[in-house]
């Protein structure tokens, strides 16, 4: 048998094997998620150990309970607490993504294109910041924010998140810019662009997938973070959703269905973003910092 | 970006609660490294936690890489049907906030109500076995396994996506050349594909290792260090010192500095060795 | 349309001196081709003309304008890159319009120029495609179009055809020359393909290790190479060289004991002093079969048929020669082939300079 004939034909067994592997993996990937979903809709009071994640006595009560929590301040009209908190999360995460990208894009571009003293050291120092545990930087950040009077504010939290999001974003984007051929910018400059125009009209659009992915990462890192949020935010209406969810299952009362319902709602925006970015994800990651 | 790092390093030289700290020099480090006078490998001592952390990182990275690579390779087959669907579904764990999944996994490992216990009952029913529900968080091995399962679940999509990306950079003609040269499928994988994607994977693995080393959420939320702090890794130990044991910031910061130095040395080591080797 | 003058250009990258005092003059509307071996500095010189690199010292003038320190955008030039450098996120139409848009040309003018150029280059049906959906040849055309549409004063080409297959290369080569004649713009063209150099150029600049070894019209450079390097670089197959040839009373003492009479010694003047050692160069095409009164006789070792001609590998004493003859000449392996030499070149073995006065 010719080697090429062997390569083209995919045997049935092999194809079944591949699908089997994938189905198992998908089951592994989805099982905990399905549990969260089922729990969120489950009306049964007494949980029982079961295999299949189907809700018992389906109900929307938990979802409603979470989504329509209100803030009751005497003398003021009730405010939609969960709405506030979700908005907090989204605003803070968007701000983090924005700050991250705005700082990282020019820095990463400079690192990718220009030679300057201390460049290599700078890159290494950036990687090093990834090594300082985020939890551990909670303490110094707390002290700094306290000093700046930003403790308990959204901007303070964005600042905290930016300290970790920016280095990673720079790292990521530098790799992406390095894969864009210099010829492109030079062609643009010969065509009459200034250096900045060449960057804006040629490099940026070409790097768009990588930038999108980087922004997504920054967004997610902020959206998912709870240790810092838990430490820095004092008042209930300032909470981000991870803090809210965590409180449903604090040591004193474990309201799992509420937690699950909240998780469901909270996950939806990220899922949507992921779905949109998924096309870019592979290209963006390959071009990006993961290439060192 | 570097300010927290510097302030953190400075904090490690002080002792006492915040606000009333006093300078103690390197005393925090000395105490940590000597396990506060106790036996060096007792549960909760720095050295014990360090061992656990290394074990944790090694096991997780191997599993992440193994699963991610396998899925990436399978998913990159052009003849595969439903490729896009599989890919979306497999990336999902990455898209869900990690504290949600960490807690979901903790729920699944609940001794009375957890889905894992449900599975055990089901197996008992079907096969007539009589396995007892496991109290996952009362023994080190099972608690550790629960943490690992959770973290593997969280981390494999990243590796899978990186593998997929790296694989797009392997030109088909190189593989065809190897095929013409008589390489079997397995040889093509091990001699051509893997070496070619290695440069793209290596930094991802390094980054993944760093993240795992510092993976606070999973340990804190799933096992919470149970039983008795034995499954704590360095980061969660540092957190405990900072926020639960009377806010010993200096002490916790010293932990953080140690973590940082450890990671710095381990990740730079290969490069240093390479340079030394090349310099000869 | 300007004359391009570069004077004593020196370019260093760190410690390496890539260009060591290069002078270039291209008259208004001229077509200059820079040739030379890989790494000799052709691209660097072109990029200096474009303003993509800065000269270490020297001066560049377009017409009477000193552009030495001007940014590329202020030089009014267009460049075609070897990689084409098409903007991947823009359609062919937008690629063509990019430069005009930057210069705030009004939309109507842009549209009409794009239409004009795409008709000229046969790109009409591709205008709405992205570069990645084009073949190599089509991409090359778009790159050309992007240069032409701007109507610049000066065209710069860096090996624009090297990614095309042979047939397409020949075709586009002809088109480039036609376009040049039609547009009348000054062009500087880098290549290492000598057919391109010979056919396109008004003036060939032969670069070697950062200096211009010879400048001149193709015919002159080909027929009267000033150095052994130029002689060997231009022409295909390459010129035959026989080193260590003694000048004797009756001519040149060839290896194997034959003597080659120099029929027209006048151009060499005093260089042909008996006793002197020289390097002899003869182009493969400058041999003819001459059974009655041969200049020399060689032993045929291998004969290759290249369609219209035979490429013969022959031995003369210890030296190997390549001889190109008409395919009808019926030469076979093992023949002793009587040849006459139509033109010969002599070089100083030490300096490599031609001994022609
Ligand atoms: N940015 C740079 N830094 C250092 N050296 C460079 C740089 N650019 C070019 N060189 C060096 O300058 C020399 C000339 O390069 P150049 O690109 O001009 O060669 P070339 O004649 O175009 O060759 P080719 O035919 O291979 O394209 C080479 O030795 C190259 O290594
Ligand atoms: Mg070149």
């Amino acid at each position: 048998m010719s080697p090429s004939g062997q390569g083209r034909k995919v045997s049935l067994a092999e194809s079944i094997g591949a699908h089997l592997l994938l189905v198992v993996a998908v089951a592994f990937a989805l099982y905990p998620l399905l549990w969260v979903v089922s729990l969120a809709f489950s009306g049964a009071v007494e949980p029982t150990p079961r295999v299949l994640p189907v809700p018992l006595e389906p109900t929307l009560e938990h979802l409603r309970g979470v989504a329509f929590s209100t803030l009751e301040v005497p003398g003021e009209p009730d405010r939609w607490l969960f709405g506030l908190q979700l908005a907090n999360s989204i605003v803070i995460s968007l701000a983090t993504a924005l700050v991250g990208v705005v700082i990282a894009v020019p820095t990463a571009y400079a690192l990718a294109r220009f030679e300057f003293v201390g460049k290599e050291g700078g890159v290494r120092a950036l990687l090093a910041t990834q090594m300082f545990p985020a939890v551990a930087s909670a303490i110094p950040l707390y002290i700094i924010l306290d000093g700046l009077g930003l403790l308990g504010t959204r901007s303070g939290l964005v600042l905290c998140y930016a300290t970790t999001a920016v280095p990673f974003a720079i790292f990521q984007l530098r790799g992406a810019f390095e894969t864009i051929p210099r010829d492109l910018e030079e062609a643009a400059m010969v065509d009459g662009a200034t250096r900045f125009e060449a960057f804006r009209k040629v490099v940026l659009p070409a790097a768009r997938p990588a930038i999108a992915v980087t922004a997504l990462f920054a967004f997610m890192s902020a959206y998912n973070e709870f240790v810092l949020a838990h430490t820095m935010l004092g008042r209930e209406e300032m909470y981000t959703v991870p803090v809210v969810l965590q409180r449903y299952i604090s040591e004193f009362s474990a309201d799992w269905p509420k937690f699950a319902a909240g998780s469901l709602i909270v996950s939806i925006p990220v899922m949507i973003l992921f779905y949109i970015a998924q096309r870019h994800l592979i290209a963006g990651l390959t071009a990006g910092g993961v290439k060192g | 970006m570097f300010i927290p790092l510097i302030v953190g390093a400075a904090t490690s030289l002080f002792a006492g609660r915040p606000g009333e700290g006093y300078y103690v020099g390197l005393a925090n480090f000395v105490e940590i490294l000597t396990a506060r006078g106790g036996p060096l490998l007792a549960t909760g001592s720095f050295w014990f936690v360090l061992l656990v952390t290394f074990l944790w990182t090694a096991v997780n990275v191997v599993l992440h890489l193994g699963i991610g690579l396998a899925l990436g390779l399978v998913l990159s087959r052009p003849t595969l049907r439903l490729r896009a669907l599989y890919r979306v579904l497999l990336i999902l764990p990455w898209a869900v906030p990690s504290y949600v999944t960490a807690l979901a996994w903790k729920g699944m490992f609940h001794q009375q109500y957890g889905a894992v216990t449900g599975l055990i009952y089901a197996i008992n029913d079907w096969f007539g076995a009589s396995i007892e529900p496991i109290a996952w968080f009362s023994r080190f091995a099972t608690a550790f396994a629960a943490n690992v399962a959770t973290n593997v679940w969280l981390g494999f999509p990243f590796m899978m996506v990186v593998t997929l990306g790296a694989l797009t950079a392997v030109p088909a003609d190189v593989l065809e050349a190897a095929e013409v040269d008589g390489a079997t499928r397995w040889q093509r994988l091990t001699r051509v594909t893997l070496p070619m994607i290695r440069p793209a994977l290596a930094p991802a693995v390094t980054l993944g290792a760093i993240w795992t080393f510092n993976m606070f959420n999973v340990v804190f939320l799933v096992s919470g260090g149970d039983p008795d702090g034995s499954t704590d890794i360095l980061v969660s130990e540092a957190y405990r010192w900072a926020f639960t044991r009377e806010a010993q910031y200096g002490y916790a910061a010293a932990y953080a500095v140690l973590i940082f130095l450890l990671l710095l040395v381990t990740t730079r080591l290969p490069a240093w060795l390479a340079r030394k080797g090349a310099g000869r | 349309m300007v004359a391009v003058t570069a004077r004593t250009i020196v370019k260093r990258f760190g410690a390496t001196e890539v260009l060591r005092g290069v002078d270039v003059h291209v008259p208004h509307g001229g077509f200059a081709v820079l040739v030379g071996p890989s790494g000799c500095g052709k691209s660097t010189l072109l990029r200096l003309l474009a303003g993509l690199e800065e000269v270490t010292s020297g001066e560049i003038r377009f017409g009477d304008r000193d552009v030495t320190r001007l940014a590329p955008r202020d030089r009014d030039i267009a460049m075609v890159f070897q990689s084409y450098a098409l903007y991947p996120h823009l359609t062919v139409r937008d690629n063509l319009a990019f430069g005009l848009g930057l210069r705030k040309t009004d939309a109507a003018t842009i549209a009409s120029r794009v239409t004009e150029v795409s008709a000229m280059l046969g790109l009409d049906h591709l205008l709405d495609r992205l570069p990645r959906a084009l073949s190599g040849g089509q991409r090359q055309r778009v790159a050309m179009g992007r240069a032409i549409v701007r109507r610049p004063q000066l065209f710069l080409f860096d090996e624009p055809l090297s990614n095309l297959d042979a047939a397409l290369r020949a075709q586009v080569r002809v088109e480039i020359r036609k376009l040049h004649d039609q547009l009348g713009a000054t062009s500087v063209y880098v290549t290492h393909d000598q057919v391109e150099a010979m056919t396109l150029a008004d003036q060939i600049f032969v670069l070697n290790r950062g200096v211009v070894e010879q400048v001149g019209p193709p015919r002159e450079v080909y027929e009267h190479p000033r150095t052994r390097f130029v002689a060997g670089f231009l022409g295909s197959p390459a010129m035959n060289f026989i080193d260590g040839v003694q000048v004797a009373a009756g001519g040149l003492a060839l290896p194997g004991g034959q003597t080659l009479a120099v029929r027209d010694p006048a151009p060499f003047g005093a260089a042909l002093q008996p006793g002197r050692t020289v390097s002899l160069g003869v182009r493969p095409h400058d041999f003819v079969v001459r059974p009655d009164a041969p200049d020399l006789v060689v032993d045929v070792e291998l004969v290759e048929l290249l369609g219209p001609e035979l490429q013969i590998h022959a031995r003369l004493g210890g030296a190997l020669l390549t001889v190109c003859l008409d395919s009808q000449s019926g030469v076979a392996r093992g023949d002793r082939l009587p040849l006459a030499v139509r033109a010969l070149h002599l070089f100083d073995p030490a300096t490599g300079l031609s001994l022609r006065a």
Side-chain angles (χ1 to χ4, degrees):
Chain A
M1 194 169 16
S2 79
S4 71
Q6 215 171 21
R8 292 314 151 251
K9 258 206 203 104
V10 180
S11 72
L12 188 64
E14 218 180 274
S15 147
I16 291 177
H19 281 279
L20 209 62
L21 178 71
L22 288 169
V23 168
V24 169
V26 168
F28 177 63
L30 292 190
Y31 193 60
L33 296 180
L34 291 177
W35 266 112
V36 174
V37 175
S38 112
L39 208 54
F41 291 105
S42 183
V45 190
E46 189 56 33
T48 50
R50 286 170 305 125
V51 182
L52 289 183
V54 275
L56 295 178
E57 304 169 34
T59 167
L60 289 176
E61 177 202 336
H62 307 301
L63 279 176
R64 233 180 274 130
V66 173
F68 298 110
S69 66
T70 47
L71 180 69
E72 286 155 37
V73 184
E76 278 178 42
D78 289 356
R79 288 159 75 199
W80 181 33
L81 184 59
F82 188 73
L84 275 179
Q85 292 163 334
L86 193 61
N88 274 342
S89 263
I90 291 178
V91 166
I92 288 177
S93 310
L94 282 180
T96 306
L98 194 70
V99 170
V101 167
V102 164
I103 298 181
V105 162
T107 319
Y109 184 68
L111 284 174
R113 281 292 190 267
F114 304 118
E115 292 299 326
F116 49 86
V117 186
K119 178 172 143 173
E120 275 311 300
V123 173
R124 252 180 248 142
L126 278 180
L127 186 59
T129 58
Q130 295 287 301
M131 301 175 187
F132 201 72
V135 170
S137 46
I139 306 150
L141 283 172
Y142 190 91
I143 299 173
I144 295 168
L145 287 194
D146 205 12
L148 293 174
L150 287 176
L151 211 54
T153 65
R154 281 177 281 250
S155 348
L157 204 56
V158 170
L159 201 65
C160 290
Y161 292 157
T163 58
T164 48
V166 167
F168 183 69
I170 294 177
F171 205 64
Q172 182 83 11
L173 288 177
R174 170 180 166 236
F177 286 138
E178 272 171 0
T179 60
I180 296 173
R182 269 169 211 250
D183 278 3
L184 282 185
E185 283 153 275
E186 294 183 343
M189 280 176 357
V190 170
D191 272 350
T194 60
R195 213 184 159 114
F196 180 70
E197 278 174 325
F199 171 68
R200 193 167 56 87
K201 299 204 170 157
V202 174
V203 178
L204 275 191
R208 212 167 46 198
I211 294 176
V213 171
T214 307
L216 176 69
F217 278 12
F219 181 92
M220 287 230 318
S221 71
Y223 195 77
N224 291 349
E225 204 287 330
F226 97 100
V227 179
L228 288 174
H230 177 75
T231 319
M232 310 282 170
L233 296 174
R235 294 197 318 269
E236 216 181 351
E237 72 266 27
M238 298 296 273
Y239 284 167
T240 55
V241 276
V243 184
V244 179
L245 291 186
Q246 223 258 331
R247 284 164 64 89
Y248 280 120
I249 45 163
S250 68
E251 289 162 38
F252 312 107
S253 72
D255 192 343
W256 284 97
K258 274 242 174 74
F259 168 77
S263 304
L264 207 59
I265 302 175
V266 163
S267 305
I268 288 168
V270 199
M271 299 259 197
I272 293 173
L273 283 180
F274 242 82
Y275 189 76
I276 297 171
Q278 104 78 24
R279 208 161 39 95
H280 292 319
L281 204 56
I282 292 167
L285 262 180
T286 334
V290 195
K291 225 168 173 175
Chain B
M1 293 171 298
F2 300 103
I3 297 173
L5 229 154
I6 294 162
V7 175
T11 320
S12 67
L13 303 177
F14 293 82
R17 295 154 139 282
E20 48 196 62
Y22 46 92
Y23 182 75
V24 291
L26 294 177
N28 284 329
F29 291 95
V30 174
E31 258 191 68
I32 290 173
L33 294 178
T34 56
R36 295 172 289 284
L40 282 186
L41 283 181
T43 305
S45 90
F46 173 79
W47 299 105
F48 181 82
V49 178
L50 180 65
L51 267 181
V52 173
T53 311
F54 274 130
L55 185 66
W56 161 253
T57 309
V59 170
N60 273 303
V61 170
V62 167
L63 288 175
H64 281 162
L65 191 61
I67 298 178
L69 257 181
L71 290 178
L73 285 170
V74 173
L75 276 183
S76 71
R77 296 156 56 103
T79 50
L80 187 78
R81 278 160 196 253
L82 301 177
R83 231 155 35 129
L85 178 68
Y86 280 128
R87 204 171 57 201
V88 173
L89 291 180
L90 288 174
I91 291 177
L92 268 185
W94 190 7
V96 180
S98 63
Y99 59 91
V100 169
T101 45
L103 290 168
W105 276 88
K106 187 185 175 71
M108 296 210 322
F109 283 117
H110 196 284
Q111 191 187 355
Q112 282 172 319
Y113 319 120
V116 178
T117 304
L119 268 180
I120 290 175
Y121 283 154
I123 291 173
N124 287 349
D125 276 357
W126 293 334
F127 303 106
S130 54
I131 311 169
E132 281 295 305
I134 300 166
W136 288 90
F137 301 110
S138 62
R139 288 207 348 254
F140 171 77
T142 49
F144 189 76
N147 284 349
V148 169
T150 309
N151 196 46
V152 166
W153 187 86
L154 276 174
F156 82 83
F158 175 71
M159 275 302 170
M160 183 184 85
V161 169
V162 172
T163 306
L164 277 173
L167 284 173
T168 58
V170 178
D173 51 3
V174 177
L175 287 173
E176 283 167 4
E179 196 177 327
V180 172
D181 283 345
T184 62
R185 191 168 260 250
W186 176 250
Q187 284 170 329
R188 265 179 277 151
L189 176 67
T190 55
R191 309 248 176 105
V192 182
T193 309
L194 291 183
M196 281 187 78
I197 60 176
R198 219 177 65 156
L201 286 186
V205 171
T206 311
L207 216 54
I210 293 175
W211 286 340
T212 305
F213 199 93
N214 286 336
M215 179 46 82
F216 171 78
N217 279 4
V218 169
V219 174
F220 188 73
L221 295 175
V222 177
S223 80
D226 284 340
D228 196 22
S230 62
T231 52
D232 264 325
I233 57 174
L234 287 172
V235 193
S236 55
E237 182 75 7
Y239 179 86
R240 251 176 251 293
W241 283 107
F243 295 106
T244 56
R245 295 176 191 149
E246 308 193 350
Q248 304 231 23
Y249 280 7
Y251 209 80
Y255 258 101
V257 170
L258 284 173
I259 291 171
F260 176 72
L261 291 177
L262 265 171
L263 282 175
L264 198 60
V265 171
T266 355
T267 49
R268 296 290 302 143
L269 210 55
W272 276 330
L273 291 182
R275 199 171 316 151
K276 264 208 181 142
R280 265 191 317 219
Chain C
M1 279 128 272
V2 286
V4 174
T5 311
R7 284 207 195 92
T8 56
I9 300 291
V10 174
K11 176 64 184 173
R12 281 189 215 104
F13 289 112
T16 43
E17 197 165 28
V18 174
L19 295 178
R20 303 180 293 165
V22 169
D23 286 289
V24 172
H25 178 78
V26 189
H28 171 108
F31 200 120
V33 173
L34 308 177
V35 291
S38 188
C40 69
K42 308 179 293 287
S43 295
T44 306
L45 181 54
L46 200 72
R47 292 164 56 82
L48 289 172
L49 294 178
L52 293 168
E53 307 273 359
E54 253 190 73
V55 295
T56 307
S57 70
E59 186 195 38
I60 302 173
R61 304 185 76 86
F62 291 173
D64 47 14
R65 224 162 37 116
D66 183 350
V67 300
T68 316
R69 305 281 157 202
L70 286 188
R73 62 191 305 256
D74 300 321
R75 296 193 182 194
D76 197 12
I77 49 178
M79 183 160 170
V80 179
F81 291 73
Q82 182 176 357
S83 66
Y84 310 144
L86 300 183
Y87 308 123
H89 57 292
L90 300 181
T91 60
V92 169
R93 182 193 311 280
D94 292 339
N95 261 283
L96 293 176
F98 185 82
L100 292 171
L102 284 173
R103 281 154 207 271
K104 308 269 183 295
T105 315
D106 65 276
T109 314
I110 294 182
S112 76
R113 293 250 206 117
V114 168
T115 316
E116 180 194 353
V117 167
S118 57
M120 201 191 303
L121 295 174
L123 293 170
D124 314 284
H125 59 297
L126 303 173
L127 281 175
D128 293 312
R129 294 218 199 149
L130 287 175
R132 66 166 167 273
L134 300 179
S135 75
Q138 292 166 336
R139 285 179 204 186
Q140 205 281 337
R141 255 159 228 276
V142 177
M144 296 280 300
R146 201 172 61 182
I148 295 169
V149 79
R150 293 241 331 276
R151 301 190 182 162
Q153 300 205 33
L154 172 64
F155 283 106
L156 302 172
F157 300 89
D158 193 352
E159 307 197 21
L161 306 186
S162 58
N163 287 334
L164 300 181
D165 69 61
L168 202 52
R169 201 179 306 168
Q171 179 193 336
V172 181
R173 192 181 73 218
V174 174
E175 281 172 25
I176 288 183
R177 182 67 219 200
K178 277 191 194 152
L179 278 171
H180 173 82
D181 293 341
Q182 185 181 337
L183 300 171
T186 314
S187 301
V188 180
Y189 187 107
V190 166
T191 182
H192 54 234
D193 180 311
Q194 32 189 314
V195 181
E196 280 171 37
M198 298 293 291
T199 53
L200 285 173
D202 297 336
Q203 298 269 314
I204 289 185
F205 291 74
V206 185
L207 259 75
N208 186 28
R209 299 199 200 153
V211 295
V212 176
E213 293 235 347
Q214 186 168 0
V215 188
R219 170 175 287 263
E220 184 190 316
V221 176
Y222 183 78
E223 289 181 354
H224 302 296
R226 265 192 39 217
T227 64
R228 181 178 167 154
F229 170 81
V230 174
F233 188 76
L234 287 180
S236 171
M239 185 183 280
N240 296 294
F241 290 107
I242 304 175
D243 291 322
V245 173
Q246 292 270 335
V247 181
L252 302 165
L254 299 178
Q258 303 185 44
T259 302
L260 173 65
V262 181
R263 293 223 190 98
D264 179 15
F268 300 108
L272 283 178
Q273 272 178 10
R276 172 171 191 170
T277 308
V278 297
S279 294
L280 165 68
V282 183
R283 293 202 184 273
H285 289 95
D286 282 340
F287 291 109
V288 281
V289 184
R290 176 79 60 80
D292 46 335
D295 289 328
L296 51 110
V297 179
V298 297
D299 298 313
V300 176
E301 295 202 326
L302 179 71
V303 180
E304 296 173 297
L305 174 63
L306 307 180
E309 65 179 30
L310 295 177
Q311 187 166 318
I312 298 158
H313 301 271
R315 184 171 287 279
L316 173 70
L320 286 171
L321 297 180
T322 308
V323 178
C324 291
L325 296 175
D326 188 90
S327 64
Q328 304 304 317
S329 44
V331 179
R333 194 173 141 195
D335 286 357
R336 282 182 60 78
L337 188 59
L339 295 172
V341 175
R342 278 197 307 218
L344 58 79
H345 306 265
L346 297 178
F347 301 98
D348 185 308
T351 63
L353 288 176
S354 171
L355 293 176
R356 195 175 286 264

